């Protein structure tokens, strides 16, 4: 694949300081000027002021300037103009429905140092003996390894899906009938999820941690003095197969700790499915909260969008 990773996302929020404090507590490292870094991915979250919460920008890693030229050609066929820098190291285009700015840039691939597998005991298998489980004795705060994906709500599901898939060159991993498209620009199962919605908004960003214990430990720490942050978890998705726990930031965006995501190394060995019912949401866990499916501020976002349009 010419594309190799989701480099960063920029989210717009009404109160930058309040939201920034949340993501520092979430485990991302403040880098100044609204930027936050993950352990392995570097600067991957940028928080900027905006009248309402929204996904402002996504940055996508590509291998070669030729990949930018190919994307520009595909976008033109969709009737979308793009701008390639004079040095041919980046391409910028906007999705019409969401106004999300997509920047494709020639950058090195992310190489993560392998983390030793967590030992687990099982029937007839004792990988861990003479001591307590690592997840029980860990004391360090959870810090995400990298940005995994972002989910954007759009009023034009087909158009936004075509922008990322047919224009920029993302691959389709799975679909939720005519309401969701799991798209990848790396070997991860998905890096962008396009979701049909009555208004444009950022649903959530997702951040990789080492294992399911880190998913639970991270959420437990975030909820200890703020139970109102809980949205949905612990569970395991079917699309992507990952463990998950969702929390809510002060602006209303959801943030997800995840581990054990499906990996697609050879496109020929992966067949996208069209998922229906619960399978499109989860494999096991508690049922999703109503606010996960229909965030509580959607009506306000729709009102604000209507007012701005007028």
């Amino acid at each position: 694949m010419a594309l190799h990773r989701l480099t960063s996302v920029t989210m717009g929020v009404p109160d930058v300081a309040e939201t920034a404090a949340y993501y520092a507590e979430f485990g991302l490292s403040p880098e100044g000027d609204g930027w936050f870094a993950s352990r392995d991915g570097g600067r991957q979250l940028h928080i900027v002021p905006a009248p309402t919460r929204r996904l402002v920008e996504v940055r996508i890693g590509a291998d070669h300037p030729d990949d930018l030229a190919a994307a520009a050609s595909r976008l033109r066929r969709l009737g979308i103009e793009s701008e390639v820098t004079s040095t041919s190291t980046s391409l910028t285009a906007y999705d019409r429905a969401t106004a999300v700015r997509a920047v494709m840039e020639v950058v090195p691939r992310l190489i993560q140092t392998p983390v030793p597998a967590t030992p687990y005991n099982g029937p007839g298998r004792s990988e861990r003996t003479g001591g307590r489980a690592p997840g029980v004795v860990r004391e360090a705060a959870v810090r995400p390894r990298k940005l995994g994906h972002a989910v954007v709500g759009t009023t034009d599901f087909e158009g936004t899906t075509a922008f990322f898939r047919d224009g920029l060159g993302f691959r389709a991993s799975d679909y939720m009938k005519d309401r969701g498209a799991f798209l990848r620009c790396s070997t991860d199962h998905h890096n962008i999820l396009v979701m049909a919605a009555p208004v444009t908004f950022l649903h959530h960003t997702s951040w990789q941690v080492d294992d399911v214990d880190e998913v639970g430990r991270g959420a437990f720490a975030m909820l200890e003095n703020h139970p109102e942050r809980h949205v949905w978890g612990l569970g395991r998705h079917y699309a992507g197969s990952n463990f998950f726990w969702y929390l809510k930031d002060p602006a209303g965006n959801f943030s997800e700790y995840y581990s054990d995501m499906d990996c697609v190394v050879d496109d020929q060995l992966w067949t996208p499915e069209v998922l229906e019912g619960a399978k499109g949401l989860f494999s096991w866990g508690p049922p999703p909260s109503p606010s996960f499916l229909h965030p509580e501020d959607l009506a306000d976002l729709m009102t604000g969008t209507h007012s701005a349009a007028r």
Side-chain angles (χ1 to χ4, degrees):
M1 175 183 271
L3 308 182
H4 56 78
R5 62 173 161 135
L6 183 63
T7 310
S8 69
V9 295
T10 297
M11 66 168 64
V13 298
D15 190 328
V16 171
E18 184 182 35
T19 306
Y22 171 93
Y23 284 97
E25 187 179 347
F26 187 78
L28 299 176
S29 300
E31 294 261 313
D33 196 28
W35 278 99
F36 287 81
S38 62
R39 289 177 71 177
D40 298 338
R43 301 203 313 177
Q44 294 200 283
L45 174 65
H46 193 199
I47 304 175
V48 299
T52 59
R53 64 183 183 91
R54 61 180 294 258
L55 180 61
V56 176
E57 179 187 84
V58 296
R59 286 184 171 262
I60 304 139
D63 284 324
H64 193 275
D66 288 349
D67 302 326
L68 308 184
S73 177
R74 292 192 300 268
L75 288 165
R76 279 195 299 273
R77 288 197 293 271
L78 293 176
I80 299 171
E81 293 300 318
S82 60
E83 178 183 345
V84 178
T85 60
S86 58
T87 54
S88 298
T89 57
S90 70
L91 171 149
T92 301
Y94 290 83
D95 174 47
R96 293 192 189 99
T98 62
V100 169
R101 180 173 63 247
V103 180
M104 187 184 297
E105 51 192 349
V106 178
V107 293
R109 290 186 173 234
L110 173 63
I111 300 176
Q112 290 183 285
T113 302
V115 175
T118 303
Y120 289 102
N121 292 337
R125 187 187 77 253
S126 298
E127 297 179 0
R128 173 180 53 79
T129 61
R132 302 187 193 279
V136 172
V137 298
R138 291 172 188 161
E139 295 182 351
V142 171
R143 289 190 57 209
R145 291 281 179 176
K146 69 171 184 177
L147 170 66
H149 59 266
V151 179
V152 61
T154 175
T155 56
D156 181 1
F157 173 70
E158 294 296 337
T160 301
T161 298
F163 174 77
F164 283 100
R165 182 193 59 203
D166 306 330
L168 296 177
F170 282 58
R171 299 283 193 267
S173 294
D174 287 308
Y175 293 98
M176 288 190 292
K177 215 169 182 182
D178 57 352
R179 297 201 58 79
F182 295 89
L183 308 175
R184 66 182 185 274
C185 62
S186 73
T187 57
D188 291 339
H189 177 272
H190 57 285
N191 303 107
I192 289 289
L193 169 55
V194 178
M195 183 176 65
V199 65
T200 294
F201 72 105
L202 172 60
H203 187 274
H204 73 264
T205 58
S206 185
W207 301 87
Q208 182 194 57
V209 293
D210 289 355
D211 56 27
V212 66
D213 281 302
E214 296 298 88
V215 173
R217 290 182 64 245
F220 182 80
M222 292 293 288
L223 295 172
E224 192 167 12
N225 297 312
H226 295 278
E228 75 282 357
R229 290 173 172 171
H230 173 72
V231 177
W232 186 25
L234 173 72
R236 187 158 194 156
H237 287 302
Y238 181 87
S241 300
N242 54 292
F243 295 106
F244 66 82
W245 201 316
Y246 295 90
L247 307 160
K248 184 167 71 171
D249 75 20
N253 307 299
F254 302 147
S255 59
E256 176 190 14
Y257 290 117
Y258 82 88
S259 69
D260 194 24
M261 176 74 73
D262 286 337
C263 183
V264 183
V265 176
D266 186 339
D267 291 339
Q268 301 302 315
L269 299 180
W270 184 270
T271 302
E273 293 185 46
V274 178
L275 310 175
E276 297 188 54
K279 186 181 282 191
L281 293 170
F282 66 126
S283 177
W284 59 259
S289 66
S291 66
F292 181 83
L293 300 174
H294 303 285
E296 296 164 355
D297 62 347
L298 278 192
D300 292 337
L301 290 174
M302 291 174 68
T303 300
T305 301
H306 179 70
S307 298
R310 293 179 62 187

